[in-house]
Amino acid sequence: MSSGKPIKVKLVVAIDEKNQGDVIFEVHPEWAPIGAERFIELVKDDFFTECYFHRVVENFVAQFGIAGDPEHYQKWASVKLKDDEVKVSNAKGYVSFATSGPNARSTQLFINLANNKGLDSQGFAPVAKVIEGMDVVEKLFTYGPHDAKPNQSVLKQKGNEYIKKSFPKLSYIKKAEILKE
């Protein structure tokens, strides 16, 4: 990604069994060049096809990025990224990589469902923003505070087989593609 120009990515999202919608991200390499490049690589590798929003926390984040095929997940998850400097804030609709610590980003991202400025000082560098379809994001299935929620470790090991059996109501990305200008 040498140009630094924003790149548009469309996610076709299945909200539930009957409804779907498009979410369009504008990826900004100038905000977080390492993270933006990884995100585009993942899209090109069809990583997000049939990828579930496994963690949706009302008024906080909608998280995705564990591939439905455990082997596909492992191919990318084992290659950790160095952190990008935080240049823009985690405002509502902005997209950042999740991380388990310094220089540990891999495949999981989240869409901010509110202004989460507190994440800025923790090193969460946005790579993109939602430019269309935030209404779709706001309709993603959310479990209640006392409901069982997906276990990320099990999802990484068993993939979509686990989600379809145990959490069939979760919204998911049917496909992601780079839009031509």
Side-chain angles (χ1 to χ4, degrees):
M1 280 197 308
S2 56
S3 73
K5 281 179 45 180
I7 299 161
K8 291 181 181 170
V9 172
K10 178 172 84 170
L11 308 180
V12 178
V13 176
I15 299 165
D16 56 34
E17 290 180 2
K18 297 178 184 170
N19 299 294
Q20 75 175 35
D22 294 343
V23 178
I24 299 177
F25 290 171
E26 187 174 73
V27 182
H28 284 267
E30 74 277 14
W31 293 352
I34 298 168
E37 182 175 9
R38 169 60 67 88
F39 178 68
I40 295 301
E41 288 173 340
L42 291 168
V43 171
K44 287 179 178 177
D45 193 42
D46 293 325
F47 185 87
F48 299 111
T49 299
E50 303 279 318
C51 183
Y52 284 82
F53 287 92
H54 62 272
R55 179 175 175 248
V56 180
V57 180
E58 195 172 351
N59 296 313
F60 184 48
V61 298
Q63 191 167 329
F64 64 99
I66 299 176
D69 172 13
E71 288 182 22
H72 200 180
Y73 172 73
Q74 279 306 321
K75 170 186 165 185
W76 287 98
S78 60
V79 182
K80 304 297 183 194
L81 299 180
K82 290 187 177 178
D83 292 337
D84 281 302
E85 177 186 345
V86 178
K87 295 180 181 174
V88 295
S89 187
N90 281 275
K92 182 176 181 177
Y94 281 58
V95 183
S96 297
F97 271 89
T99 186
S100 57
N103 300 309
R105 299 177 299 164
S106 64
T107 66
Q108 293 189 55
L109 296 104
F110 59 85
I111 303 168
N112 286 287
L113 301 178
N115 290 324
N116 293 318
K117 186 177 180 173
L119 297 176
D120 301 349
S121 63
Q122 296 175 48
F124 293 96
V127 298
K129 65 180 177 180
V130 175
I131 59 168
E132 287 180 39
M134 195 62 193
D135 59 320
V136 174
V137 173
E138 291 172 340
K139 293 176 187 167
L140 296 174
F141 183 80
T142 307
Y143 281 98
H146 304 293
D147 293 334
K149 295 168 183 65
N151 178 308
Q152 290 187 36
S153 295
V154 176
L155 176 55
K156 291 171 187 176
Q157 292 172 354
K158 297 191 176 196
N160 285 353
E161 168 191 322
Y162 163 68
I163 292 292
K164 288 176 182 177
K165 181 179 177 189
S166 303
F167 300 95
K169 293 182 180 178
L170 289 183
S171 304
Y172 67 95
I173 300 166
K174 294 175 95 171
K175 70 176 184 172
E177 63 186 343
I178 297 169
L179 296 178
K180 305 285 185 237
E181 284 300 315

